[in-house]
Amino acid sequence: KKWTFMFYISADSTNTADALMSIGPHMYSGENLNVIILHDAYQAPSDLWYVNENKESVFVRDMGELNMGDYRTLKDYVDIAKKEYPAERYIIGFYSHGGAWSGVSYDATSKDHLSPDDISKGLVESGGVDLVCFTAPCLMGASEVAYELRQGADVMVASENTSSLSCWLNPLLDLRELLNNQPDTDSFTVAGRIIQFMAVHPLTWKERLTMSAIQLDKTDALTEALKELSHYYLQNVPEFQKKMNAVMGGIKRYSSSQIDIHDFAEKLTAVETSTDILAKLDTVKKSLKDAVIAEYHGTKMEGSHGLSIYFPKKGYEAGLLQYGSDQFGLDMSRDTYWDELISEYFALPSQNNNK
């Protein structure tokens, strides 16, 4: 067939709703489309399902107890999809809790989850997919995630803010019709259409919705721009701290750890006077715009432009130890000076107070 849509449902947690039966009525197989589901429920074995043309989730086989937080589980699933449900193009949708750069697919039984590096390894070692959709996980519209996945997929759709499967269900139905009835649509156009579908379906909490489609090979330029910016600011940390303290409260924030990249650059542009730094901030904004295929945000999400980046609130900087760890393996922290800049930013107040 033209497309195979793989759902990776990690519901092995007491506080994760079981989404298995919610998907079939909205995303189901057709003449040009296969829909399969790897499903892991709480304290239950993992199962493989096929959603037929009648919208019925049909049991395929028991997969045993799987660790959904192991990249090899992801790799094996994509391998199975490509072997047993071959198609010209592949989409994978992740369902679970999400934590931006810290990862997704939390598995309570195995006490594990997929880091961005895990997702990348699983996709790359299985030959990659065309499109990654974070169909519910919160906060996965992060630059760290997009940059990490650039070698395993062409495009990514995710939310900078909190999210829910409920905001995906009606758009999934529209997406199903697009994939099955216009199967030669390329993955970049498909991703952009998903954002359009999000914008037209009313939700009770639509004003808090953000969703963006990101062309992943464009994240190299964005990361290079962030590298240049963070390296420049490292040469004058007290000045950076002064400017950030002046604008921090006004930057669009989605959690204790993530801020919008464009809004960060825009707010600093308003208080900077150096032509060198203004040029670097402009490059960040332009490279972000190039990477964002389409973006939608509700009325309460002004300041959202498609991708967030790690910059914790004061008191929440403990995560920096993992963020910058070589063992955790974030390409963003390896290839920029972002974690070093944040470390210096939070270290300076303590040093100044001791003088």
Side-chain angles (χ1 to χ4, degrees):
K1 296 185 180 182
K2 293 284 187 175
W3 292 90
T4 290
F5 199 131
M6 302 166 270
F7 282 95
Y8 193 86
I9 297 183
S10 182
D12 190 348
S13 173
T14 55
N15 63 347
T16 302
D18 198 328
L20 177 62
M21 295 306 169
S22 299
I23 291 173
H26 300 89
M27 178 59 68
Y28 52 96
S29 299
E31 179 183 1
N32 294 302
L33 174 66
N34 293 310
V35 178
I36 60 173
I37 299 171
L38 179 62
H39 176 258
D40 186 27
Y42 184 58
Q43 295 183 337
S46 307
D47 300 322
L48 184 65
W49 298 77
Y50 180 81
V51 185
N52 66 21
E53 295 184 14
N54 296 320
K55 308 181 183 181
E56 299 166 333
S57 296
V58 179
F59 178 79
V60 177
R61 63 178 174 271
D62 185 334
M63 302 288 287
E65 176 54 47
L66 295 177
N67 177 2
M68 300 293 277
D70 189 328
Y71 86 91
R72 290 166 294 191
T73 301
L74 174 59
K75 174 194 176 299
D76 291 346
Y77 177 45
V78 178
D79 285 341
I80 289 170
K82 291 184 175 182
K83 180 180 178 180
E84 299 183 18
Y85 304 93
E88 293 181 16
R89 295 175 186 164
Y90 298 91
I91 301 176
I92 187 163
F94 290 91
Y95 174 82
S96 178
H97 294 292
W101 61 266
S102 64
V104 72
S105 295
Y106 294 83
D107 188 314
T109 300
S110 302
K111 296 180 174 58
D112 202 357
H113 73 282
L114 293 173
S115 69
D117 185 53
D118 289 329
I119 301 171
S120 177
K121 286 194 293 186
L123 295 180
V124 169
E125 291 188 14
S126 61
V129 298
D130 296 270
L131 174 58
V132 173
C133 294
F134 290 100
T135 48
C138 299
L139 306 171
M140 297 306 287
S143 55
E144 295 89 352
V145 177
Y147 185 58
E148 199 78 31
L149 301 190
R150 69 197 184 282
Q151 294 177 336
D154 295 329
V155 64
M156 172 184 104
V157 176
S159 170
E160 289 184 89
N161 194 34
T162 53
S163 185
S164 166
L165 184 63
S166 63
C167 73
W168 275 89
L169 292 180
N170 287 329
L172 279 177
L173 189 58
D174 289 343
L175 176 59
R176 189 266 173 193
E177 296 305 301
L178 174 64
L179 297 176
N180 196 57
N181 299 332
Q182 302 177 50
D184 292 321
T185 307
D186 66 81
S187 56
F188 302 104
T189 302
V190 168
R193 293 291 300 278
I194 292 173
I195 305 306
Q196 293 176 7
F197 300 151
M198 291 281 176
V200 299
H201 286 290
L203 292 167
T204 56
W205 56 282
K206 186 177 179 181
E207 68 275 5
R208 301 197 311 275
L209 178 65
T210 72
M211 203 67 65
S212 57
I214 308 299
Q215 184 170 337
L216 297 179
D217 63 1
K218 298 287 189 179
T219 60
D220 284 309
L222 174 60
T223 301
E224 182 63 24
L226 290 167
K227 175 183 177 181
E228 292 296 319
L229 179 69
S230 55
H231 185 261
Y232 187 97
Y233 272 133
L234 270 177
Q235 312 311 306
N236 194 346
V237 174
E239 187 65 21
F240 173 69
Q241 184 191 43
K242 177 181 177 181
K243 296 292 174 58
M244 277 299 290
N245 287 345
V247 302
M248 179 70 87
I251 298 174
K252 185 62 184 177
R253 178 174 290 278
Y254 307 99
S255 67
S256 60
S257 65
Q258 297 296 119
I259 60 173
D260 183 84
I261 293 177
H262 186 281
D263 206 42
F264 157 80
E266 190 72 11
K267 294 296 193 299
L268 282 177
T269 297
V271 297
E272 284 289 356
T273 57
S274 164
T275 55
D276 285 344
I277 195 64
L278 286 171
K280 293 182 189 306
L281 289 166
D282 191 53
T283 301
V284 169
K285 290 185 285 186
K286 287 180 177 177
S287 57
L288 175 66
K289 184 177 180 180
D290 287 343
V292 177
I293 297 170
E295 181 269 334
Y296 171 82
H297 61 266
T299 55
K300 293 185 178 180
M301 289 291 112
E302 292 297 325
S304 301
H305 297 85
L307 280 176
S308 68
I309 194 166
Y310 179 63
F311 206 108
K313 291 180 179 179
K314 184 174 178 58
Y316 292 88
E317 61 270 21
L320 186 61
L321 293 174
Q322 186 179 47
Y323 185 89
S325 165
D326 290 339
Q327 184 177 5
F328 191 68
L330 276 181
D331 289 356
M332 178 66 75
S333 61
R334 181 197 67 198
D335 294 344
T336 71
Y337 300 95
W338 196 254
D339 54 313
E340 290 92 339
L341 180 62
I342 296 173
S343 293
E344 292 293 332
Y345 174 82
F346 283 108
L348 278 169
S350 175
Q351 293 170 358
N352 290 338
N353 288 336
N354 290 332
K355 289 181 180 179

